[in-house]
Amino acid sequence: MGLPIWFSLATPVLASEHPVELSASERAYLNAHPGVSLCVDPDWFPFEAIDKHGQHVGIAADLIAMVAANTGLQVRLHPTQTWEESLIASRAGDCLALSFLNQTPEREQWLIFTEPLLEDPNVLITREEHPFISDVSSLTGKTIALPYGTAMAEFFARDFPHIEIIYTDSESEALRLVSERKVDMTLRSLIMAAHTIKNEGWFNLKVSGQIPGYNNRLRMGVLKSEQTLRDILDKGIATLTPEQRQQIMGRHTAMNMVSQVVTDYTLVYALGGTLTAVLATSLFWMRRLNGLNRQLKILAQTDQLTGLPNRHALNDIFHKELSLAQRYRRPLAVIMLDLDHFKHINDEQGHLTGDKVLVDFSRLLRHNLREADSLCRWGGEEFMLLCPETDAGQAQELAERLLAAARGHAFPGTGRVTASAGISTATPADSVETLVQRADAALYQAKAEGRDRACLRVHDAAA
Ligand SMILES: Nc1nc2c(ncn2[C@@H]2O[C@H](COP(=O)(O)OP(=O)(O)OP(=O)(O)O)[C@@H](O)[C@H]2O)c(=O)[nH]1
């Protein structure tokens, strides 16, 4: 465990729009506690995490910072390595509050809870070929992976003793076990599932069902002795509007779309009763789940910031286009684009301006493409363009046009921004990897030659 770190509450979204009225005893509490120690889950992004600078980040961090701004509370992060360690620190009284957790009988032994900061449903995740699950009690003999020490693991062990639980150290480990056929399923929030599937590329997974009542109601937990602190937090939480919650979730995930789907989805349970209703429910349920899986796939393959397909999404198209080009001996070009000195923009104008430049640049690229071209955000400030039926000369022309569009565009907040491009064209011997490697090498050359230019590598000198 490291030293406690104070974290900043001064981000734009935290403007204190709803300062709360505190009682005299609550004000006295704040004066007596100039830094309320907070334990968090260091590895649960996008809900929350501790980043490499030791800052509490994610949805919970923003929500709590907003509550703090509205109440005048000062929060001091008590850093830990794992969630388990945070629970132990909380039990030992080393931190007065826990950030973002479900209320469970076990936790009620030493904690009292605030109203929820956020509500979020859990869904059963299986591999693609698994049938939809309408009744969990029919799953005797199946295995489920659940992260150790979580409320859902506690509830599941109590409610479904006939299903074997394989405990894992982390959320992503649970999904990995499902993807690798080591267990049958796991139970996760849809948002977390989308986030991890996207990051890890586990596209053989799907949402197979939902257990009624298994929603995360994510609250703050406060030591039983700190009733006044809980009351202050509740006053702050009451000021959070649905729009502010959406805004915060939207910053870390594509939650807007999901929360809407999930709200509808719970209607499934309002049906039922007679056999006919049950049958109708199953059909409705399967359609709903299919819809959810489509949403999950879209979420997992879309870059949140720019709305472009991400690297995983392009990968499938890439393999298909390359094999078509090779089979029919048609030209295929790849253009890798990278903003120049983007780090300076972030450092000098701030991350938000950097984000706006990325969004603007992605729009410029989109507007200058042909329909058959596929564009994706490759990562960071890099974009990848796949151009079927395009030879080296045409690709060079297109890249020059894109760079000129960036050069001539007034980016809000920063003015002139340039980009560099690396181009490669497919040969019969290429794999996706070698084609990308050459585009990458060409991009490196464009940077080395002074940036704001496009360089071409038709094939390796060694090939
Ligand atoms: N604002 C913002 N910045 C990002 C994002 N993804 C990556 N970055 C930043 O992009 C910067 C890339 O910096 P470098 O790799 O040094 O590249 P550069 O400054 O563009 O320099 P050259 O490529 O050599 O011209 C880093 O500071 C990253 O933090 C994002 O989504 N938003």
Side-chain angles (χ1 to χ4, degrees):
M1 251 190 274
L3 289 171
I5 293 170
W6 293 80
F7 67 91
S8 158
L9 305 176
T11 68
V13 75
L14 307 177
S16 181
E17 288 166 19
H18 308 278
V20 298
E21 289 276 334
L22 296 181
S23 67
S25 61
E26 288 163 349
R27 282 198 302 275
Y29 184 94
L30 290 189
N31 287 336
H33 296 82
V36 168
S37 50
L38 177 75
C39 279
V40 308
D41 189 331
D43 181 25
W44 199 29
F45 201 79
F47 285 141
E48 63 176 351
I50 298 180
D51 72 6
K52 61 177 189 288
H53 307 296
Q55 297 281 325
H56 185 208
V57 292
I59 294 169
D62 287 357
L63 288 168
I64 293 171
M66 204 157 198
V67 168
N70 285 348
T71 53
L73 189 77
Q74 297 263 352
V75 183
R76 178 169 50 84
L77 179 65
H78 181 96
T80 57
Q81 300 295 323
T82 61
W83 173 237
E84 222 358 57
E85 213 183 287
S86 286
L87 288 173
I88 292 168
S90 162
R91 261 185 188 276
D94 292 343
C95 42
L96 295 184
L98 276 164
S99 53
F100 210 48
L101 74 175
N102 284 292
Q103 183 167 358
T104 71
E106 200 206 324
R107 292 167 182 174
E108 279 167 0
Q109 288 169 21
W110 83 97
L111 294 171
I112 47 176
F113 290 86
T114 65
E115 289 300 309
L117 283 161
L118 188 79
E119 297 215 16
D120 166 57
N122 281 294
V123 290
L124 288 161
I125 308 280
T126 65
R127 284 178 302 282
E128 208 145 30
E129 69 275 11
H130 198 287
F132 289 119
I133 302 164
S134 53
D135 178 11
V136 182
S137 52
S138 68
L139 295 174
T140 305
K142 299 275 183 185
T143 49
I144 186 164
L146 297 172
Y148 186 76
T150 58
M152 287 309 125
E154 203 183 307
F155 291 148
F156 202 91
R158 180 197 64 194
D159 296 344
F160 305 104
H162 58 292
I163 299 175
E164 187 188 350
I165 302 177
I166 310 293
Y167 291 102
T168 63
D169 287 335
S170 68
E171 299 256 348
S172 64
E173 168 81 355
L175 274 182
R176 188 179 63 75
L177 291 182
V178 182
S179 177
E180 292 177 357
R181 308 181 158 273
K182 297 196 171 121
V183 297
D184 295 307
M185 66 194 118
T186 185
L187 182 70
R188 305 202 68 190
S189 97
L190 188 65
I191 278 302
M192 284 304 298
H195 178 77
T196 318
I197 290 171
K198 171 155 68 178
N199 280 357
E200 308 287 345
W202 288 321
F203 298 120
N204 64 337
L205 300 178
K206 74 169 182 190
V207 177
S208 282
Q210 187 186 16
I211 311 175
Y214 268 55
N215 282 0
N216 290 311
R217 287 196 179 81
L218 296 160
R219 308 162 190 269
M220 295 183 74
V222 171
L223 294 187
K224 274 186 169 170
S225 56
E226 308 302 308
Q227 196 140 4
T228 312
L229 174 59
R230 197 267 308 270
D231 295 345
I232 295 170
L233 289 169
D234 268 342
K235 283 188 174 173
I237 290 168
T239 64
L240 297 177
T241 64
E243 292 74 30
Q244 285 169 328
R245 286 183 164 103
Q246 283 290 346
Q247 190 194 349
I248 287 173
M249 282 188 288
R251 263 213 268 141
H252 299 283
T253 67
M255 185 69 182
N256 285 345
M257 182 165 59
V258 172
S259 64
Q260 231 174 344
V261 173
V262 169
T263 311
D264 287 359
Y265 177 68
T266 53
L267 288 176
V268 168
Y269 299 106
L271 299 174
T274 66
L275 184 62
T276 328
V278 169
L279 284 175
T281 306
S282 318
L283 282 177
F284 183 58
W285 161 254
M286 300 229 325
R287 243 182 262 142
R288 271 276 166 235
L289 286 176
N290 278 329
L292 267 178
N293 281 307
R294 272 196 302 277
Q295 300 280 7
L296 183 63
K297 197 157 185 172
I298 291 167
L299 275 179
Q301 302 209 340
T302 305
D303 172 55
Q304 274 157 234
L305 181 67
T306 60
L308 287 178
N310 62 19
R311 194 173 180 147
H312 295 303
L314 190 71
N315 224 13
D316 289 349
I317 308 172
F318 221 139
H319 281 96
K320 206 173 85 209
E321 291 293 350
L322 179 61
S323 80
L324 281 176
Q326 288 171 331
R327 186 170 341 142
Y328 298 109
R329 299 180 179 278
R330 305 298 309 159
L332 173 73
V334 163
I335 306 177
M336 197 181 245
L337 295 126
D338 184 291
L339 288 162
D340 294 331
H341 297 305
F342 187 63
K343 189 171 178 312
H344 291 175
I345 297 175
N346 272 337
D347 291 348
E348 284 157 26
Q349 257 79 234
H351 227 73
L352 278 181
T353 303
D355 282 355
K356 282 190 197 140
V357 170
L358 288 170
V359 172
D360 246 29
F361 185 59
S362 70
R363 280 202 200 116
L364 274 182
L365 296 179
R366 240 190 309 222
H367 290 152
N368 282 282
L369 298 181
R370 299 162 310 177
E371 219 161 89
D373 299 335
S374 302
L375 172 68
C376 87
R377 183 169 176 202
W378 195 246
E381 82 293 19
E382 264 184 1
F383 295 81
M384 181 71 91
L385 185 55
L386 186 64
C387 309
E389 303 295 333
T390 307
D391 63 23
Q394 292 164 322
Q396 182 89 32
E397 228 171 79
L398 173 59
E400 303 284 2
R401 197 170 75 230
L402 296 173
L403 298 188
R407 204 180 298 127
H409 182 73
F411 286 85
T414 91
R416 188 168 180 266
V417 173
T418 62
S420 302
I423 307 164
S424 65
T425 50
T427 68
D430 264 322
S431 63
V432 167
E433 288 70 30
T434 55
L435 195 51
V436 171
Q437 271 164 20
R438 279 206 311 285
D440 200 27
L443 175 62
Y444 186 79
Q445 186 186 338
K447 293 275 180 183
E449 287 181 6
R451 297 178 173 79
D452 190 18
R453 69 197 61 211
C455 286
L456 170 73
R457 285 252 172 137
V458 179
H459 52 73
D460 268 334

